[in-house]
Each structure stands twice: as C-alpha cells, then as structure tokens.
Amino acid sequence: MSDGAMVAAYRHDAHKMNGQPHDYAPETFAGVPVNQTVSHGADGDASALSRPSGQPEQTVENHETLYRLSLIEGESRYDPQEFTRNGVESVVRELLTEDDPETMHRAWLDSNVVSAFTESVYYPYTSLKYHTLLVAALLDNYRDGHEFADLRLVVDDADEIVPHRTVYAGEEFALRIDVDARGQPSARLGSRPWRSWASAWNRLEEHPLDTAHDKYDMVLDANLRRIGAWSTALQYIEDFREAFDQ
C-alpha cells in the first residue's frame, strides 16, 4: 500500500539526477510527482549530517558535475559505458515510478547507478544514494514521534533489513538509524544533526570489522574514523568493498 510521505522521501531529489536546480525542476517525472518537500524537516537534518550549514562553496576546483568523486580513486564515478543516457533514465524511471515505499527502499539500497551521483555539486564526495536513505530513515523515525537525540547508529546482521531505517546493506553487516538497538551494537547520533559520522562510528560498542586480523578491514576502519560526512562514509564502505572485492 502506498504511503505518500515515505514515497516523497525517495523522490524528493530526482532533479539531482538530471542536473536541474530544485527551483526550476519539473514537478513530475514519468507521470509521478517528484522534487516535493519532505515532512518533519527530515531532508534538512539529513543534509546537516553530510554538509556544513550556510552558503555552499565549491570544495573541489573544476568539478561542477552531478557525478560523485570517489574517495578511493579521487576520480569521477561517471562511466560512459555504464551510464548511458538511456540506461540511467531507465534505472531512474524504475526507482521513481514505484509506489510501494518498502520496495523503493530496497531498490535504493541495491542501486549502483544512484551511487554515482553526488548529494551536492559543491560537496562532490557526498552521495545522493545515501543522503536519500538517511532522509527516509530520519523521516520514518520522526513520524513515530522520536527526536533526533533519541536516535542511534545500529549494526545489524547482513540479512536484517529494516524497512526505511536500514541505511546500508552489505554482505557482512547492515547499518540502520533507530531508537531501539534490539540488542545489537549501537551508538547515539548526538544531540543535533551534524557531520558526526566518525564520532558515532568511534563510539560503537562493538565494530563489525575484523581489525585484528584483516588488513583490508584495518584500512577501512582507520579511514571511517576520519570521515565526518554521513553520506560520504556510507558510500565509502560500499566503494571499498567493491574496489577490493570484500
């Protein structure tokens, strides 16, 4: 059954996948409403988790594209072979025209195409994919009456996908934003939304990486302890696993 508020969360930044400013972007895509305001301030709070407040400034010289830069390679994730215009439009159409919010959540978790887009051209290491998943997670919590200060970063088993609240799903573990850790390792997000990923990751009661024996996990963990932006960090985990086939 369609839930308009949650569906809007997954469609709210459609304009960023075709390079259009929000103020001038069309209100519909393939016959469905897009680029709508997300309720409960979830979009603004999710933005604050990855981007500084105030007027944005270009942080990478000569990079003014909607495609994300990789923290691993330092290069654009745009691949002309993989990201043909028709191919991207087809994937975006499938993502945005679905009207079941749980199906949309899973599609965003699994999508490789949307991970190629940045959350903001001013902050090209951020990720539109994970910004959108963070918006949905915050919105779902807020609608249940939870305050930001109540929220936790929770480490789940890989097969534990909680609708809307799981913000990363990999082969070894999943991560969600929730108030109830359900006995899983967790850490509070803090009193207000800010670029606090490293702080939360460092305070986890138990980490999902084998930093005692696995050299790749050691590198991944060391770098995650230095990243502030949430969407950048979540995307880095995905990129790292893909790059090193972990």
Side-chain angles (χ1 to χ4, degrees):
M1 182 178 180
S2 178
D3 179 332
M6 291 308 304
V7 168
Y10 295 109
R11 293 175 177 168
H12 83 281
D13 267 345
H15 63 98
K16 292 184 178 178
M17 286 181 274
N18 55 25
Q20 295 172 315
H22 187 276
D23 291 345
Y24 304 104
E27 296 181 355
T28 62
F29 174 86
V32 300
V34 294
N35 303 322
Q36 298 167 297
T37 300
V38 180
S39 61
H40 297 276
D43 185 25
D45 285 356
S47 297
L49 287 174
S50 302
R51 290 178 268 158
S53 59
Q55 279 295 109
E57 297 180 359
Q58 190 167 342
T59 54
V60 177
E61 189 175 356
N62 298 325
H63 186 84
E64 298 180 5
T65 169
L66 61 165
Y67 290 104
R68 181 178 59 83
L69 288 179
S70 167
L71 265 184
I72 295 176
E73 302 164 351
E75 298 178 353
S76 172
R77 296 301 291 170
Y78 172 70
D79 182 341
Q81 301 299 318
E82 183 177 358
F83 300 111
T84 63
R85 182 176 181 84
N86 288 340
V88 170
E89 285 186 354
S90 176
V91 170
V92 171
R93 181 181 295 269
E94 290 180 11
L95 280 173
L96 299 181
T97 56
E98 175 61 57
D99 64 1
D100 175 66
E102 290 191 20
T103 302
M104 296 181 81
H105 172 241
R106 192 62 200 238
W108 276 86
L109 279 174
D110 294 341
S111 177
N112 290 323
V113 169
V114 290
S115 65
F117 294 94
T118 181
E119 182 178 341
S120 166
V121 295
Y122 297 104
Y123 306 102
Y125 293 102
T126 59
S127 167
L128 177 61
K129 171 178 177 174
Y130 288 102
H131 167 70
T132 300
L133 289 165
L134 287 165
V135 170
L138 293 180
L139 176 60
D140 196 50
N141 276 286
Y142 292 166
R143 295 202 314 163
D144 278 355
H146 307 313
E147 301 286 339
F148 183 87
D150 301 327
L151 302 180
R152 308 183 74 89
L153 171 64
V154 184
V155 180
D156 284 325
D157 296 336
D159 58 353
E160 181 67 21
I161 306 298
V162 180
H164 311 307
R165 301 194 183 184
T166 296
V167 293
Y168 168 81
E171 293 186 6
E172 292 89 7
F173 61 91
L175 299 171
R176 76 181 140 93
I177 303 296
D178 216 332
V179 293
D180 184 0
R182 306 180 189 177
Q184 295 294 110
S186 69
R188 289 193 177 279
L189 269 57
S191 60
R192 60 180 176 82
W194 62 291
R195 290 177 293 171
S196 58
W197 163 268
S199 175
W201 181 259
N202 289 339
R203 289 184 285 104
L204 279 172
E205 300 155 335
E206 182 181 332
H207 283 80
L209 302 176
D210 182 8
T211 55
H213 305 97
D214 189 301
K215 64 179 182 180
Y216 291 101
D217 277 8
M218 293 178 197
V219 172
L220 175 58
D221 179 64
N223 288 330
L224 288 175
R225 292 175 184 272
R226 294 195 288 263
I227 299 173
W230 278 73
S231 73
T232 302
L234 293 168
Q235 186 66 66
Y236 182 74
I237 301 173
E238 178 184 313
D239 287 355
F240 192 94
R241 293 310 197 199
E242 178 184 332
F244 299 104
D245 195 27
Q246 294 287 299

